[in-house]
């Protein structure tokens, strides 16, 4: 697709949108500035770079596939991220898990990590203009093998994980300060049981107490935002999950924290997008883990599904772009890992563009007048607007490949990486 054709198509599309009261220039400048947090763990199948070598056993999350080319070192992961970023329009952040520190071949246990282990990530992020987000890693560790961490019945195990998360918050605040942009520290724990539990109250009381201790250390909101991620069930926690949605909702509200909504962590018929307009009444912000669950919390690569579309429309309709932190969360080892990042991040941003291009004035007018027919008609008509031409132009202006040009770039990189890494 030539530059001239892309520009011509954009001008026509812009005029078409103007007819329905949508300013495409304004939409594009907003789209450019909204950061999407890229999850580092898609690059290496959630393994991390600790010396002991992590296994996900007992963690309730599962990576499947054996596509060649997994990143085996920080250098390889950065190289893959750079490739992905070169194909992605708009601003990004990098979302790190604690197990991705630079430990220099030493055994640094989770309760011993400190900011120095993440210094090189801060430098790399600065070089690429990325903000940083962070996550405690309360899984893939012998002390998590029982399926319990912060709510473990043994206080020594609880203490270990409390220390880990406290350190993670310190590291997050360090990253936020260093990058001049608040770091979102998200806490997800696998705690729960496969079968029916009779001490739900005790486990939740233990979690509550652990969280109180963890959050007792204050960090300025400008440096650190604390988020809590609930789950409905996991492998090995089918019957009981300590950190349920209600638990964190109540905890976060009284403690001044925010909650993380992962698209794969609710009943399949439950609408996650509908929760936004409620949460935004009571909380400063919301963290989104944009994911795609297929029958369960399978963490498939994100596509522009109806669900993602509806979620982004709600973010825009709630005028909450400043308060909603958009992060990706999926892991798929059946295909090019760089390709998976690019599909997911482009799909998320394309869904956001579609939301920003919604003929809002027409819709509001119809709704305000009680004209439910016109509202529905406009919702349908908006689907036929030429969004693809606006997206192509956005890619052009962002100096990333237009249309399908990025597919062959990924394939070429993938072949090179596979040849190098899996000999
Ligand atoms: C697990 C949660 C969590 C993880 C990452 C690796 O069910 O979704 O966000 O995917 O922390
Ligand atoms: Zn998640």
């Amino acid at each position: 697709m030539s530059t001239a054709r892309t520009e011509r198509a954009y001008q026509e599309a812009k005029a078409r949108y103007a007819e329905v009261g949508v300013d495409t220039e304004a939409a594009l400048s907003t789209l450019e500035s909204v950061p999407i947090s890229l999850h580092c763990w898609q690059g290496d199948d959630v393994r991390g770079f600790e010396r002991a070598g992590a296994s996900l056993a007992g963690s309730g999350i599962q990576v499947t596939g054996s596509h060649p080319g997994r990143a085996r070192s920080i250098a390889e992961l950065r190289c893959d991220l750079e490739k992905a970023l070169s194909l992605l329009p708009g601003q990004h952040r990098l979302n790190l898990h604690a197990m991705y520190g630079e430990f220099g071949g030493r055994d640094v246990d989770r309760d011993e990590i400190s900011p120095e282990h993440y210094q090189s990530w801060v430098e790399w992020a600065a070089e690429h203009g990325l903000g940083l987000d962070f996550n405690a890693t309360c899984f893939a560790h012998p002390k998590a093998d029982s399926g319990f961490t912060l709510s473990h019945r043994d206080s020594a195990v609880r203490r270990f994980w409390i220390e880990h998360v406290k350190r993670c918050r310190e590291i997050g605040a360090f990253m936020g300060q260093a990058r001049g942009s608040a770091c979102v520290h998200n806490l997800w724990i696998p705690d729960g049981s496969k079968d029916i539990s009779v001490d739900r109250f005790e486990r939740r009381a233990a979690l509550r107490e652990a969280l109180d201790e963890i959050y007792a250390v204050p960090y300025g909101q400008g440096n650190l935002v604390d988020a809590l991620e609930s789950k409905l069930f996991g492998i090995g926690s089918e019957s009981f999950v300590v950190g349920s949605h209600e638990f964190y909702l109540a905890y976060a509200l009284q403690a001044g924290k925010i909650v993380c909504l992962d698209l794969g962590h609710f009943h399949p018929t439950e609408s996650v997008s509908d929760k936004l307009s409620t949460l935004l009444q009571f909380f400063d912000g919301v963290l989104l883990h944009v994911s795609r669950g297929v029958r369960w919390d399978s963490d498939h690569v994100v596509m522009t599904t109806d669900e993602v579309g509806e979620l982004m429309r709600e973010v825009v309709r709630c005028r909450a772009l400043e308060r909603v932190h958009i992060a990706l969360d999926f892991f798929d080892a059946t295909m090019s890992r760089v390709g998976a990042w690019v599909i997911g991040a482009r799909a998320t941003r394309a869904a956001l563009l579609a939301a920003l291009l919604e003929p809002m004035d027409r819709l509001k007018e119809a709704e305000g007048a009680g004209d439910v027919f016109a509202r529905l008609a406009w919702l349908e008509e908006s689907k036929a607007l030429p969004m693809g031409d606006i997206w192509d132009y956005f890619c052009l202006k962002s100096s990333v490949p237009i249309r399908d040009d990025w597919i062959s770039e990924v394939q070429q990189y993938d072949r090179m990486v596979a040849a190098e890494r899996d000999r």
Side-chain angles (χ1 to χ4, degrees), residues 117-134:
H117 300 119
Y118 303 88
Q119 178 62 39
S120 73
W121 277 115
V122 169
E123 284 157 22
W124 183 83
E127 233 172 81
H128 295 86
L130 305 168
L132 284 171
D133 296 317
F134 200 55

Side-chain angles (χ1 to χ4, degrees), residues 229 262 265 289 329:
E229 182 180 5
D262 184 310
H265 289 196
H289 268 190
D329 183 15

Side-chain angles (χ1 to χ4, degrees), residues 227-250:
L228 291 149
E229 182 180 5
S230 66
K231 190 161 177 163
L232 185 61
F233 78 93
I235 301 174
S237 63
E238 288 85 351
S239 302
F240 173 46
V241 171
V242 185
S244 60
H245 183 52
E246 298 85 331
F247 182 92
Y248 286 136
L249 202 57

